[in-house]
Amino acid sequence: MSTNITPPPMPAQPPQPGKKSHTNAYIIAGAAIIAAAVVATGVALSGCSDDTAKPQPTVTVTETVEPETTVDEDTAAATDQSTDAKIGEQARNGGAVVNLALSRGGVSEA
């Protein structure tokens, strides 16, 4: 009789659930935080610009079309054109009518 006895084979063990790695979650969360910081910085920088609107002079030109005049009306219009217009008055030059107004930046045609 022999003393060499082989033990029966062990049943196979099912694989143990491993420890889950959260590396992908950390990478995605970090990228989201960086993206939010970049967007917030862009919004903050665009909101603090010092481009205030400055008043600009306004020019309004009204052109009236009048029927052809006779020779007497042309001479009367020629003498009328030689006078200087003052601020707040209406100036005429041929068929164009211009209203002069004073603005903050000086004289403008309005």
Side-chain angles (χ1 to χ4, degrees), residues 19-35:
K19 192 175 189 182
K20 288 192 175 187
S21 174
H22 297 291
T23 305
N24 287 342
Y26 291 135
I27 291 172
I28 292 171
I33 290 171
I34 291 172

Side-chain angles (χ1 to χ4, degrees), residues 4 7 24-25 28 41 48 58-59 64-65 71 75 85 94 96-97 103 105:
N4 257 347
N24 287 342
I28 292 171
T41 303
C48 67
T58 304
V59 177
T64 57
V65 179
V71 176
T75 57
V97 178
S103 70

Side-chain angles (χ1 to χ4, degrees), residues 47-62:
C48 67
S49 64
D50 194 23
D51 296 335
T52 57
K54 297 175 183 160
Q56 298 294 324
T58 304
V59 177
T60 304
V61 178
T62 306

Side-chain angles (χ1 to χ4, degrees), residues 8-106:
M10 297 286 285
Q13 298 248 342
Q16 297 293 327
K19 192 175 189 182
K20 288 192 175 187
S21 174
H22 297 291
T23 305
N24 287 342
Y26 291 135
I27 291 172
I28 292 171
I33 290 171
I34 291 172
V38 169
V39 169
T41 303
V43 169
L45 290 178
S46 68
C48 67
S49 64
D50 194 23
D51 296 335
T52 57
K54 297 175 183 160
Q56 298 294 324
T58 304
V59 177
T60 304
V61 178
T62 306
E63 185 175 349
T64 57
V65 179
E66 297 178 11
E68 292 186 22
T69 59
T70 61
V71 176
D72 295 332
E73 291 176 340
D74 282 342
T75 57
T79 58
D80 188 13
Q81 292 176 2
S82 65
T83 61
D84 291 333
K86 295 180 181 155
I87 295 175
E89 293 181 353
Q90 190 177 64
R92 293 182 180 267
N93 185 1
V97 178
V98 178
N99 293 324
L100 299 178
L102 183 63
S103 70
R104 288 175 45 174

